[in-house]
Amino acid sequence: GLGHEKEVEKYTLTFQSVPDHQIIGFIPGVGISSFTYVHHGTISEAHLKLVEFNQPLKSSDVKKVD
C-alpha cells in the first residue's frame, strides 16, 4: 500500500447544484479515494472512502513458474 507515514498529493473535485452536491477525492497513481453525495431535499446520502490500496506488481517483478 501507500503506507501511513507517506504524505500523498490529494485533489478534491466538487460539483454543487441546488438539489445536491458531490465531492470526489483523487490521488494520482491510485485513482478515486473518496466520494460523497448529498441530496439537499431528502435524506439521500452516500459516503465512500478507500481504506486500502496495494500497488500492483510490475511485470519485471513476476517470476514465471514452469
Side-chain angles (χ1 to χ4, degrees), residues 5-66:
E5 65 281 349
K6 281 188 175 180
E7 284 291 319
V8 294
E9 197 172 11
K10 299 177 190 174
Y11 296 95
T12 303
L13 305 169
T14 303
F15 175 75
Q16 191 162 1
S17 64
V18 174
D20 60 17
H21 70 268
Q22 300 172 46
I23 303 169
I24 300 171
F26 183 82
I27 300 173
V30 174
I32 295 173
S33 60
S34 62
F35 175 77
T36 299
Y37 171 82
V38 177
H39 192 274
H40 301 154
T42 65
I43 57 171
S44 179
E45 292 188 12
H47 303 275
L48 307 171
K49 180 180 173 185
L50 180 67
V51 294
E52 186 173 338
F53 173 79
N54 293 302
Q55 188 71 34
L57 293 174
K58 298 177 192 170
S59 60
S60 61
D61 295 338
V62 177
K63 295 179 182 177
K64 290 186 178 182
V65 177
D66 295 323

